[in-house]
Amino acid sequence: MQDKMMDAFSTQTRQMFEPMRKMNSLMLNNMEKMTQYQLEAMKRYSQMGTERIRSATEINDAESLRDFSTKQAEMMNELSQQMQEDARVMGEMSLQFKSEMEKLFSEAGQKMGEQATSATKSEQPAKATSQSSRKS
């Protein structure tokens, strides 16, 4: 009897914490992906900046200054495109995370509804039995 109660308690506890475990895992995975992407983006941006600083140190006459200015404009255009791409990718990651969270909450809601329904059905015969024993 006691083993059955402990098993039932253990099962109920696992069922209760399972949605939270899934949510924590999903959030951790998302945070890891976004952090990794941001670190890669930061590395790209810092490399671009370092390259431009190196190029600036090589300016020694008017012609090299003109070339540097031209390259600077090209780099700014490239930087702008890269930032737009990074924003798009981050947006896609956020939308994917949102849809996974919605799916998780939907599944948890369904499971809770099913458990509530089954608990209600199992209580009804018990009430009928207890009421019939009172009448006797």
Side-chain angles (χ1 to χ4, degrees):
M1 170 91 173
Q2 200 170 20
D3 288 341
K4 286 182 180 180
M5 282 180 44
M6 288 304 292
D7 288 343
F9 177 74
S10 178
T11 302
Q12 288 174 348
T13 304
R14 246 184 273 120
Q15 288 174 351
M16 184 177 85
F17 288 113
E18 183 66 18
M20 287 183 255
R21 187 196 63 75
K22 285 181 179 179
M23 185 178 76
N24 286 337
S25 177
L26 182 61
M27 291 178 84
L28 180 62
N29 289 340
N30 184 63
M31 186 173 70
E32 190 175 38
K33 280 185 350 188
M34 293 192 103
T35 301
Q36 184 64 36
Y37 189 82
Q38 289 174 339
L39 287 171
E40 290 170 4
M42 190 171 83
K43 184 178 178 182
R44 282 192 303 271
Y45 298 145
S46 65
Q47 286 174 341
M48 286 176 150
T50 304
E51 288 173 12
R52 294 315 307 149
I53 291 171
R54 283 206 174 100
S55 296
T57 62
E58 296 172 2
I59 297 172
N60 53 15
D61 59 7
E63 189 174 318
S64 60
L65 178 61
R66 182 178 43 89
D67 291 343
F68 175 78
S69 297
T70 303
K71 292 271 188 188
Q72 189 73 4
E74 291 172 4
M75 192 276 305
M76 291 304 288
N77 187 31
E78 182 182 332
L79 178 64
S80 174
Q81 289 175 351
Q82 185 64 53
M83 289 179 85
Q84 288 176 350
E85 175 66 15
D86 289 343
R88 184 190 63 75
V89 170
M90 293 290 285
E92 287 176 359
M93 284 182 190
S94 295
L95 289 175
Q96 181 182 3
F97 175 70
K98 177 185 171 266
S99 70
E100 289 173 354
M101 286 294 278
E102 287 173 343
K103 180 181 173 190
L104 182 70
F105 281 118
S106 174
E107 289 172 358
Q110 276 183 325
K111 191 176 273 188
M112 286 174 57
E114 290 168 1
Q115 288 173 349
T117 303
S118 66
T120 304
K121 287 180 180 177
S122 66
E123 282 182 15
Q124 288 174 350
K127 285 181 180 178
T129 306
S130 65
Q131 287 175 357
S132 64
S133 63
R134 287 183 194 162
K135 289 179 182 176
S136 303

